[in-house]
Amino acid sequence: RLLKMEEFFPESFRLDLKDERNAFFELCKEEQIWICKPSCSNQGRGIFLLKNPAAVNTLQAKLHSTEENLLNKKVPYKAPQARIVQRYIHQPLLLEGKKFDVRSYLLIACTAPYVVFFARGYVRLTCVNYDAASDDLTVHLTNQYMQKKNSLYSQLKDETVWRMEHFNSHVNEKFRKTNGLPKDWVFTVFTKRMQQIMLQCFLAAKHKLDRKLGYFDLIGCDFLIDENFKVWLLEMNANPALHTNCKVLRDIIPTVVYESL
């Protein structure tokens, strides 16, 4: 079954496309949070939150002045840096008060013929408790590069990554009854949904892939679960981080690399 994008992907706009940029600025007149991130980047670099209309107006003015400068210099028009703005999911499911997301993997093992595999990854948590109003990016972004910027990271780093088995047990214990979830929701419903979304994205992009024997790629896919247990795809990353900063990653990452090869 084909999924509609709004079923699994937060509303997003590309700021380098004029029509999408204008549609976004037309839409976001109210108090709501958007997350702005550059494409083709990683480790949380260049990400910021737009938390009110004033911040949005500042961004709009900045983009407009860049556009004006380029036109006035009579140089060939260069689009603004490729960025997207994505509706921020401000009611995520929390684990012991902390925001988290899940990094899993899509291995495109071959493009001639197409062969794809799924690998379960790990859960990435913040060091400190979640507060939607906070201006501290380490409260909002879970990746290790960002968490290292938090002063508590050195003492909490092994708590910022959970194995999926730990996550599954926690959901069984803390959420199963109150939310009416089936047993082992993480390894059944959630895993199946991740696979379904990844496959959808692969099918959408496969015609862009070079079909040559020996070509392969490992894609890191980031999923967020909201408080209603709805699964959202945040992004898919080429060249996913393979650092082993903490104990769980020292077990998981080498296995992912070895099995991929």
Side-chain angles (χ1 to χ4, degrees):
R1 183 175 81 87
L2 286 181
L3 304 175
K4 291 182 178 156
M5 272 183 77
E6 59 266 26
E7 288 182 54
F8 66 89
F9 192 60
E11 189 175 13
S12 301
F13 297 89
R14 281 179 57 179
L15 293 180
D16 58 319
L17 299 180
K18 195 169 185 179
D19 288 351
E20 290 204 21
R21 192 162 72 237
N22 292 342
F24 167 67
F25 290 127
E26 193 57 41
L27 173 74
C28 60
K29 304 288 188 224
E30 310 146 34
E31 290 280 336
Q32 47 191 305
I33 306 176
W34 294 80
I35 184 165
C36 185
K37 40 190 178 179
S39 51
C40 303
S41 184
N42 58 9
Q43 298 183 323
R45 288 192 194 94
I47 293 182
F48 57 88
L49 298 182
L50 297 165
K51 301 180 80 169
N52 51 52
V56 172
N57 291 340
T58 303
L59 176 66
Q60 187 172 16
K62 189 177 170 188
L63 291 175
H64 184 70
S65 91
T66 306
E67 204 170 276
E68 289 284 299
N69 288 344
L70 289 166
L71 290 173
N72 291 341
K73 287 177 185 167
K74 296 193 167 61
V75 293
Y77 174 66
K78 182 170 171 287
Q81 181 191 10
R83 284 182 162 276
I84 69 158
V85 280
Q86 187 175 71
R87 191 180 286 279
Y88 185 82
I89 296 162
H90 65 278
Q91 292 178 311
L93 184 68
L94 302 178
L95 299 179
E96 297 172 347
K98 296 179 173 67
K99 186 177 179 182
F100 75 96
D101 62 20
V102 173
R103 162 64 56 92
S104 285
Y105 297 97
L106 171 71
L107 175 67
I108 301 171
C110 187
T111 53
Y114 293 119
V115 182
V116 296
F117 292 102
F118 166 83
R120 271 200 304 264
Y122 53 92
V123 178
R124 314 185 299 182
L125 299 92
T126 57
C127 291
V128 291
N129 283 5
Y130 177 65
D131 171 11
S134 174
D135 290 327
D136 180 358
L137 274 180
T138 68
V139 170
H140 301 280
L141 304 179
T142 61
N143 65 66
Q144 288 282 295
Y145 182 83
M146 190 56 68
Q147 289 309 305
K148 278 183 184 176
K149 297 182 177 183
N150 191 291
S151 57
L152 295 170
Y153 179 77
S154 55
Q155 64 196 78
L156 294 176
K157 68 177 184 179
D158 281 326
E159 294 170 35
T160 61
V161 180
W162 284 10
R163 292 176 167 284
M164 294 298 277
E165 289 80 2
H166 181 183
F167 179 40
N168 184 58
S169 304
H170 186 84
V171 170
N172 279 344
E173 187 185 328
K174 302 284 184 188
F175 300 111
R176 189 182 158 207
K177 281 186 180 168
T178 48
N179 293 81
L181 303 175
K183 188 173 188 296
D184 296 334
W185 178 87
V186 168
F187 289 149
T188 54
V189 178
F190 176 54
T191 296
K192 189 176 177 185
R193 187 63 171 170
M194 286 193 291
Q195 292 172 339
Q196 192 182 21
I197 291 168
M198 284 185 194
L199 184 60
Q200 181 92 19
C201 295
F202 171 75
L203 293 174
K206 71 174 190 177
H207 67 283
K208 297 180 181 180
L209 304 178
D210 284 332
R211 301 204 64 191
K212 292 186 180 178
L213 201 59
Y215 276 27
F216 72 96
D217 203 359
L218 182 69
I219 311 289
C221 307
D222 298 339
F223 293 91
L224 186 138
I225 302 162
D226 69 21
E227 60 182 12
N228 298 315
F229 284 82
K230 181 175 168 70
V231 177
W232 297 94
L233 172 70
L234 296 180
E235 58 187 37
M236 301 182 86
N237 302 273
N239 189 25
L242 298 171
H243 305 297
T244 51
N245 305 335
C246 54
K247 189 175 183 306
V248 172
L249 292 177
R250 284 195 290 276
D251 291 341
I252 289 173
I253 297 296
T255 306
V256 166
V257 173
Y258 178 79
E259 288 188 354
S260 296
L261 295 172

